Amino acid sequence: QVQLVESGGGSVQSGGSLRLSCAVSGRSFSIYTMGWYRQAPGNQRELVATITSRKDTNYADSVKGRFTISRDNAKNTAYLQMNSLKPEDTAVYYCKASLYVNYYWGQGTQVTVSS
């Protein structure tokens, strides 16, 4: 069974930074595509960034140049470094692990950015 646990959320002022972590239990972390998604109140869940097993990355236009996704296969952990945070980045951030048709979600971590 694969379990994902996010951490690192919190409250910051506009322009601040946070680093989210997603620890993954189970085997074969290195072959999963890892992704970060977010959901603000009243909105659908949206893609923030993904990183493949080969460490190819993809970002939503709204976070390009501000957020960086990375992974440490030795620690079974994915990260999302968020800089220059804006109030519109406020949301619950979820981690997702994908492999072929299988996928797993974490429980989410709240990020609140005040102006």
Side-chain angles (χ1 to χ4, degrees):
Q1 183 72 11
V2 178
Q3 292 185 324
L4 287 69
V5 179
E6 299 103 331
S7 61
S11 297
V12 295
Q13 291 191 327
S14 182
S17 298
L18 285 172
R19 188 176 82 152
L20 305 183
S21 298
C22 175
V24 181
S25 65
R27 296 176 288 182
S28 305
F29 171 81
S30 63
I31 65 174
Y32 285 103
T33 290
M34 299 300 301
W36 286 97
Y37 294 72
R38 66 187 182 187
Q39 187 168 16
N43 290 355
Q44 291 188 334
R45 193 171 296 188
E46 64 178 6
L47 170 72
V48 175
T50 60
I51 184 167
T52 69
S53 59
R54 297 185 302 178
K55 299 189 177 180
D56 296 323
T57 58
N58 180 56
Y59 295 92
D61 288 343
S62 59
V63 306
K64 281 181 181 176
R66 300 189 297 123
F67 292 9
T68 302
I69 189 170
S70 62
R71 64 191 300 159
D72 185 337
N73 291 338
K75 296 183 177 180
N76 279 20
T77 302
Y79 303 97
L80 185 68
Q81 178 67 43
M82 305 186 294
N83 299 328
S84 302
L85 283 161
K86 305 175 181 180
E88 51 263 44
D89 295 318
T90 295
V92 177
Y93 283 70
Y94 296 90
C95 180
K96 180 182 179 182
S98 304
L99 180 61
Y100 305 120
V101 297
N102 299 311
Y103 57 90
Y104 309 89
W105 290 98
Q107 82 288 351
T109 185
Q110 177 71 46
V111 171
T112 302
V113 185
S114 58
S115 58

